[in-house]
Amino acid sequence: MGNSGGQTFWATIDRISNQGNGVVEKDDGGHFIVGPVREEAVGRTVEVRMVGPNEAELVDSDLRKDVYAERTESTDSDLSEGDIVSGRILKQSAEGVALLEKEGIRIEVPGAELNEEVKIKIEEISRSNSQWVTATGTPVDQHTAPTGGREGSVIGDVELYDELPTSSSGTVACPVSGCEYTGEPASVAGHVSGKRDSQHDWSQLGYAGANAYKRKISTTGHELQSQTSLLHLSDSHLGASLTKTGEYSSDSRCLTGFCRAIDIAIGREVDAVLNTGDLFHNDRHGIPRTVKDAAQDQLTRLAERDIPFYSIDGDHERDAGREVLKEFERDGLVTQLNETPQLVGQGLALYGRDFTPATGWESTSWSPTSPSTDRFGIAAIHQSIKPISNSDWPECTVDDVVATVGPHVHVIAAGHLHRTGIDWNEGLPFVLGGTTEPQRARQASIKPVVGLFTQDANSLRHQRVQLTL
């Protein structure tokens, strides 16, 4: 790393100093500071500009603590009663009540725990506190299906599962130790909920409120007789080190996770693979040859079995990653998705929108066109989405996405958030793709997963499969 003033490059914020400044470790073992940063900046890879021998500033000011304070002091909050927001609980009040801070409002969330990801509805806002606008919020069930139907070009029911981690798409076992109950995922979910004892408790088991329940959207049309399967993977970050900031390697478990996902695609003989962005982890080193070759080898395995690989660009692809993907597309290994439907089997139509910064979301035209036959439409995106994302400055909102995709899309397959689950919004399920990348040092809770969409006659199912590395 150079020390000349004005030079910009990408670096990872390693920690926050006692003075509240972000600290970046240099390749030579030294470090420099980037000014006051917010807590969520730690572990983030950001663009910085050198302003002195050991000092720098963030090019993007969103994570700067001083800028955030100015914004919250000088502008009124856009939040109001009835709004739904999400985020991670990082603080507690003096009385021990969990607090979620959003847009200058400190929201009390009774019953929540520290470090828990929550989605809440703002019930009441009070301006009696001289330092903070305060509010109370109540949890919103992210896995509650909409009550009304959503008309579309596909018939039957969309049956979306966020199932128990399993290597089988059929029968699964009860997750309670010693319980021998087995059955279809929805049946197991009902079994656990119906037992009502201390062991059969979804909150204790870690599935956040019986995630395995069946979700449905009613549609109308002609019954589809075929079966189509699609493997959904996301955020593989090939080339990223799992141990040391600034170190890149193809011989890492990031590649192992991607290889395992390809193994599953081949083993299940899926009709296609869908990647929702950040195949590569391209910050400032570009794409090393070893990483490119390793990805090419895995995509060649798919091509040799006539399994197409559909993809969109994530925010980490940048110029070098996009060039590699274009080369792979010329070689017939990758198909980049857009507004034109890519037909998979007899039952699916895929669309895709590359990562779009907030400044370009509304100005960039994107409108999926209708497929020639009745199909379930799945749109791939890679964005921070309000209120699903816990970002204070998301690139778009749920309403933006719903208004954009039109009637041909029945499911949103989302990357970028490194989270799993199904989040229902405006009658549309947002299926969060997680990551095939195992946990990094600062993200111990991340587990590598893929998703499996299965269209069978007039239904579409989604199953989450945890990767074993």
Side-chain angles (χ1 to χ4, degrees):
M1 292 182 184
N3 292 326
S4 58
Q7 177 187 3
T8 64
F9 51 86
W10 292 88
T12 301
I13 298 177
D14 184 68
R15 56 188 172 86
I16 297 178
S17 71
N18 292 335
Q19 291 75 37
N21 293 310
V23 179
V24 173
E25 300 293 334
K26 297 165 64 175
D27 292 340
D28 61 6
H31 69 272
F32 61 86
I33 63 174
V34 295
V37 298
R38 301 166 58 200
E39 292 179 359
E40 56 264 42
V42 176
R44 296 279 288 272
T45 301
V46 296
E47 188 174 10
V48 299
R49 179 186 296 109
M50 294 303 298
V51 296
N54 292 301
E55 295 185 51
E57 63 181 4
L58 301 186
V59 174
D60 184 345
S61 62
D62 281 354
L63 292 174
R64 284 177 53 183
K65 194 171 185 178
D66 52 355
V67 173
Y68 178 70
E70 291 173 4
R71 286 175 176 169
T72 55
E73 289 173 2
S74 61
T75 61
D76 291 332
S77 171
D78 291 332
L79 295 180
S80 58
E81 294 177 4
D83 285 353
I84 295 177
V85 298
S86 61
R88 183 182 294 276
I89 300 295
L90 297 175
K91 297 181 180 180
Q92 289 180 327
S93 69
E95 294 75 24
V97 179
L99 297 175
L100 175 66
E101 295 178 2
K102 279 288 182 180
E103 299 185 26
I105 294 183
R106 180 168 286 179
I107 309 168
E108 293 187 349
V109 189
E113 302 290 340
L114 280 174
N115 294 317
E116 180 182 352
E117 287 279 354
V118 297
K119 181 177 180 181
I120 62 172
K121 180 179 180 180
I122 297 177
E123 296 293 346
E124 182 180 358
I125 296 178
S126 170
R127 302 184 183 274
S128 59
N129 189 299
S130 60
Q131 293 181 310
W132 281 86
V133 176
T134 60
T136 56
T138 57
V140 175
D141 184 1
Q142 298 188 35
H143 301 279
T144 300
T147 55
R150 182 174 188 269
E151 294 301 316
S153 60
V154 183
I155 335 271
D157 290 329
V158 180
E159 299 178 350
L160 290 174
Y161 292 79
D162 190 6
E163 293 182 356
L164 316 180
T166 174
S167 59
S168 169
S169 60
T171 300
V172 295
C174 176
V176 175
S177 177
C179 182
E180 299 180 355
Y181 186 92
T182 60
E184 292 293 318
S187 176
V188 173
H191 157 77
V192 173
S193 299
K195 293 290 286 186
R196 300 191 182 282
D197 58 48
S198 59
Q199 287 184 300
H200 289 77
D201 182 342
W202 283 113
S203 62
Q204 297 298 320
L205 292 170
Y207 291 103
N211 290 350
Y213 275 124
K214 188 185 299 183
R215 324 294 175 202
K216 291 187 178 181
I217 304 176
S218 296
T219 56
T220 57
H222 302 291
E223 183 173 342
L224 302 173
Q225 298 296 336
S226 62
Q227 183 178 82
T228 307
S229 59
L230 174 74
L231 188 82
H232 175 202
L233 62 86
S234 192
D235 293 83
S236 296
H237 290 275
L238 298 183
S241 171
L242 300 173
T243 56
K244 183 178 178 182
T245 301
E247 180 180 292
Y248 284 66
S249 172
S250 62
D251 186 21
S252 74
R253 288 193 297 162
C254 292
L255 176 59
T256 304
F258 181 64
C259 293
R260 182 69 186 107
I262 301 303
D263 288 343
I264 292 175
I266 292 173
R268 292 175 179 264
E269 299 181 338
V270 299
D271 293 284
V273 174
L274 171 64
N275 167 54
T276 49
D278 281 359
L279 179 63
F280 295 108
H281 188 83
N282 171 28
D283 285 330
R284 57 188 176 87
H285 291 70
I287 308 298
R289 183 73 192 188
T290 52
V291 173
K292 175 185 172 182
D293 290 347
Q296 185 172 2
D297 288 345
Q298 296 305 312
L299 294 174
T300 299
R301 293 177 61 204
L302 291 177
E304 290 174 346
R305 292 162 176 81
D306 295 322
I307 300 175
F309 186 90
Y310 297 101
S311 184
I312 60 172
D313 294 338
D315 59 314
H316 273 274
E317 254 72 56
R318 300 189 177 90
D319 290 342
R322 286 191 288 268
E323 285 303 314
V324 171
L325 288 171
K326 287 179 181 177
E327 180 181 334
F328 287 170
E329 187 166 29
R330 289 192 294 269
D331 292 340
L333 300 178
V334 171
T335 299
Q336 291 290 110
L337 293 172
N338 51 38
E339 303 153 287
T340 303
Q342 290 289 339
L343 307 184
V344 177
Q346 298 297 314
L348 300 179
L350 304 185
Y351 305 89
R353 175 169 180 160
D354 295 334
F355 171 79
T356 306
T359 54
W361 181 265
E362 293 183 357
S363 60
T364 303
S365 174
W366 190 78
S367 179
T369 58
S370 175
S372 57
T373 58
D374 284 342
R375 291 170 181 265
F376 291 101
I378 301 176
I381 64 174
H382 187 96
Q383 306 285 160
S384 291
I385 313 163
K386 182 180 180 180
I388 299 174
S389 170
N390 62 3
S391 170
D392 287 313
W393 289 280
E395 294 89 27
C396 61
T397 68
V398 162
D399 289 341
D400 292 332
V401 177
V402 173
T404 299
V405 297
H408 316 307
V409 172
H410 302 84
V411 179
I412 304 297
H416 186 58
L417 303 182
H418 288 208
R419 287 170 48 199
T420 60
I422 300 174
D423 196 307
W424 287 85
N425 291 274
E426 301 298 325
L428 196 64
F430 287 67
V431 179
L432 310 182
T435 170
T436 64
E437 169 198 35
Q439 67 270 21
R440 298 196 197 184
R442 300 183 188 90
Q443 297 175 304
S445 63
I446 293 178
K447 302 298 182 184
V449 298
V450 293
L452 185 69
F453 287 100
T454 304
Q455 172 269 321
D456 187 4
N458 61 344
S459 70
L460 179 66
R461 298 185 179 189
H462 173 268
Q463 178 189 7
R464 181 178 58 191
V465 182
Q466 186 168 318
L467 301 180
T468 303
L469 305 184

